[in-house]
Amino acid sequence: PPAAAQLGILRRAHGVASVEAQLQCPLTLQQMKEPVICADGHSYEREAIEAWLLVNNVSPLTHQPLSHSRLVPNHALRSIIVAQRDCGSSCQEAGADSSWRIDPSKLTISGVVLGRGAWGVVREGTLLEDGLPRIVAIKQFPEADQVADLTRELELLAFATVRCSHVCRLIGVCRLDGLVCLVMNKYAESLHDLLARNGKLTLQQTLRLGIQLARAVGELHDISIVLNDLKPSNILMDKWGDLVLSDFGISTRIQNNLSRIMPSSIKGTTSYMSPEAFDPEMFGGVGPATDVWSLGCCLVEMASGVPPWDGLRHQEISRTVCDKRETPSLPDGLPAAAIALLSSCFKYEPAARPKASAVHQSLVAIDASQLQSLHSTAEASANASGDTRPLVLASVAFSEETKDVDNTVAARLEANAGASDGAAGARALDSPGVEKQDLDIALALSLSEQCHVVQTAATPEMEMQQLETALALSRAMAMQEDARRGRGE
């Protein structure tokens, strides 16, 4: 809906004073003009948070360490702020506002299909912004009776975008060639694409992506949104490997403090559906626990490379889950804690499953345990060889498409080479497998003189396992340093 209409919805739901307080920057306590989302999931005025990050690496609100320093423009919140400023108190009622509207003459839709669903087709397009082309994703609603579906999806997406940092970013809406078009940010690929290309992921990759995914689902549950169709093709990834959730076509928002809702029909993708999704009446409806089952299915697919119930038809899966009460098979080689966590996600009774936030906490604990184990192994090896230097990073590398962006960080590392006995430079290498966050960790540790960052060349003798071990050691030492600072040591 237009931003002014969305503002009216928010005011009626939460009260004028509450909504206007949410439009203020937590740092300046003034209404924001250019809101951006920080790594802690909260929105701030850009200038204020940039100044904060120059001297701090923790959240201004939670005081927890920030995983990165990237700032994402909060377009939906800015649109609501503009509507609030322009409309004032008269925005209590839904009204027309141009801030969500896109000039159709600036939008071109290509023939590239990014995805299809029961509620629309998503195509690639180009949007001219200030004379410069921007590649976008466009969800089309070709039939008049689908406008209601678009309105519902827009309401949920706008509501989530204001409050969550891990949802697909809304740009605006327009009508082009008789089609209603929802224009969104285009991401590098989906988790489905990644799995189709690489097969199953390593345990380290599964844990890292699983942590992001559980946090994203938990954010939506905190604002009472149930996805109803969580699956790898609806999990998008940017060029850094960060996840966002997309496709709110069959999502719902639970109202009036209810824990479940009764859908009008069976909805979802069979391989990821819970017992209550197949038979809502038996369980009294669907709710956040429905997404937790789907979250477990996504984790299983990441670790195994194949979706749950692969090869079975819809009716066979329904009978297996509902009548036989069977759960998806768990991949071999998982730690005992991971097996226990997945088993809890697949409890038959929805109330027995953990919350998404608890899944997130468990995955973080499992990841920390794995990193500590690798750290101990690397430390023992270093002691045996007589070289006890904390070698934190064996190589820093970028993929071709992100090199230009990341070279600025690499330059900062090289500029600090020789700055102290405890820091040395690192050079960007053209090899896959290393992410920007590993470079950020190396930079942070280098500047804090906590370790040596060594420069190496990409040689055939360097095994990817060695590289992953070095990177894991880097993250483990960073976690230890964060814990030490938290204790005030």
Side-chain angles (χ1 to χ4, degrees), residues 276-309:
E276 67 271 21
F278 282 110
D279 192 353
E281 291 188 2
M282 174 181 287
F283 294 88
V286 299
T290 306
D291 288 341
V292 171
W293 177 290
S294 302
L295 171 59
C297 290
C298 291
L299 292 173
V300 166
E301 185 166 353
M302 283 189 271
S304 66
V306 294
W309 317 119

Side-chain angles (χ1 to χ4, degrees), residues 366-425:
I366 295 170
D367 190 37
S369 176
Q370 293 296 306
L371 292 177
Q372 183 60 46
S373 176
L374 284 172
H375 177 222
S376 300
T377 301
E379 187 175 42
S381 176
N383 290 335
S385 66
D387 182 4
T388 58
R389 293 177 304 163
L391 300 180
V392 182
L393 193 58
S395 178
V396 180
F398 311 102
S399 61
E400 188 66 29
E401 65 270 16
T402 64
K403 191 193 308 178
D404 291 340
V405 177
D406 285 329
N407 271 346
T408 57
V409 185
R412 291 168 61 196
L413 272 173
E414 294 183 3
N416 283 279
S420 68
D421 293 336

Side-chain angles (χ1 to χ4, degrees), residues 24 38 63 126 165 172 251 258 262 307 327 373 390 422-423 442:
Q24 294 179 348
C38 187
H63 301 291
T126 303
S165 58
S251 300
L258 298 176
M262 184 65 67
T327 59
S373 176

Side-chain angles (χ1 to χ4, degrees), residues 52 88 90 112 123 155 192 194 236 256 287 291 323 359 367 389 391 412 421 424 434 443 476:
W52 171 273
S90 63
V112 178
R123 301 182 187 273
E155 289 176 350
H192 177 270
L194 176 66
L236 306 182
N256 301 324
D291 288 341
D323 300 335
V359 175
D367 190 37
R389 293 177 304 163
L391 300 180
R412 291 168 61 196
D421 293 336
V434 185
L443 175 60

Side-chain angles (χ1 to χ4, degrees), residues 164-487:
C164 303
S165 58
H166 299 283
V167 297
C168 179
R169 294 295 152 195
L170 173 67
I171 298 174
V173 186
C174 75
R175 184 180 295 274
L176 183 63
D177 297 330
L179 304 176
V180 178
C181 300
L182 174 61
V183 183
M184 300 168 288
N185 191 31
K186 181 181 181 296
Y187 294 84
E189 63 179 349
S190 68
L191 179 58
H192 177 270
D193 297 331
L194 176 66
L195 293 170
R197 184 177 68 251
N198 296 340
K200 69 176 184 179
L201 306 181
T202 65
L203 176 59
Q204 181 182 357
Q205 291 171 321
T206 299
L207 289 172
R208 182 178 297 179
L209 294 179
I211 288 170
Q212 293 187 49
L213 181 56
R215 181 172 61 238
V217 174
E219 283 185 347
L220 289 174
H221 289 177
D222 285 344
I223 59 173
S224 302
I225 291 180
V226 179
L227 285 161
N228 290 324
D229 197 19
L230 180 63
K231 57 184 178 180
S233 60
N234 287 342
I235 302 168
L236 306 182
M237 305 173 64
D238 64 17
K239 58 186 178 182
W240 306 121
D242 293 332
L243 301 183
V244 298
L245 301 177
S246 68
D247 197 346
F248 289 72
I250 62 174
S251 300
T252 53
R253 183 162 181 247
I254 299 176
Q255 303 283 355
N256 301 324
N257 297 320
L258 298 176
S259 60
R260 302 179 190 177
I261 57 171
M262 184 65 67
S264 58
S265 60
I266 297 176
K267 300 176 181 179
T269 302
T270 310
S271 295
Y272 310 91
M273 289 171 61
S274 64
E276 67 271 21
F278 282 110
D279 192 353
E281 291 188 2
M282 174 181 287
F283 294 88
V286 299
T290 306
D291 288 341
V292 171
W293 177 290
S294 302
L295 171 59
C297 290
C298 291
L299 292 173
V300 166
E301 185 166 353
M302 283 189 271
S304 66
V306 294
W309 317 119
D310 188 39
L312 297 185
R313 294 174 296 181
H314 174 89
Q315 292 182 344
E316 293 173 320
I317 296 175
S318 177
R319 286 196 298 269
T320 300
V321 172
C322 296
D323 300 335
K324 299 180 180 179
R325 298 195 176 191
E326 295 183 12
T327 59
S329 300
L330 303 184
D332 297 329
L334 294 178
I339 293 175
L341 175 62
L342 287 173
S343 298
S344 68
C345 292
F346 297 136
K347 293 291 186 181
Y348 189 74
E349 292 294 335
R353 297 173 208 149
K355 293 183 178 180
S357 57
V359 175
H360 172 258
Q361 293 173 0
S362 297
L363 289 172
V364 170
I366 295 170
D367 190 37
S369 176
Q370 293 296 306
L371 292 177
Q372 183 60 46
S373 176
L374 284 172
H375 177 222
S376 300
T377 301
E379 187 175 42
S381 176
N383 290 335
S385 66
D387 182 4
T388 58
R389 293 177 304 163
L391 300 180
V392 182
L393 193 58
S395 178
V396 180
F398 311 102
S399 61
E400 188 66 29
E401 65 270 16
T402 64
K403 191 193 308 178
D404 291 340
V405 177
D406 285 329
N407 271 346
T408 57
V409 185
R412 291 168 61 196
L413 272 173
E414 294 183 3
N416 283 279
S420 68
D421 293 336
R427 181 178 302 278
L429 302 174
D430 289 324
S431 63
V434 185
E435 300 182 6
K436 178 180 179 294
Q437 64 192 64
D438 299 311
L439 178 59
D440 289 338
I441 291 172
L443 175 60
L445 293 174
S446 175
L447 295 180
S448 63
E449 302 182 17
Q450 296 298 320
C451 65
H452 294 275
V453 180
V454 298
Q455 176 180 328
T456 67
T459 63
E461 292 77 15
M462 180 178 291
E463 300 276 347
M464 183 54 65
Q465 182 61 40
Q466 294 173 314
L467 178 58
E468 290 183 353
T469 299
L471 294 175
L473 176 58
S474 170
R475 285 188 291 277
M477 293 188 68
M479 291 172 61
Q480 290 178 341
E481 175 64 14
D482 288 341
R484 186 186 68 79
R485 290 175 179 173
R487 293 192 298 267

Side-chain angles (χ1 to χ4, degrees), residues 4 7-8 11 16 20 31 80-93 97:
L7 178 63
R11 282 177 163 176
V16 175
E20 292 187 353
Q31 188 177 91
I80 292 176
I81 291 172
V82 170
Q84 194 273 347
R85 185 171 61 244
D86 292 345
C87 301
S89 59
S90 63
C91 286
Q92 287 284 350
E93 300 298 327
D97 183 83

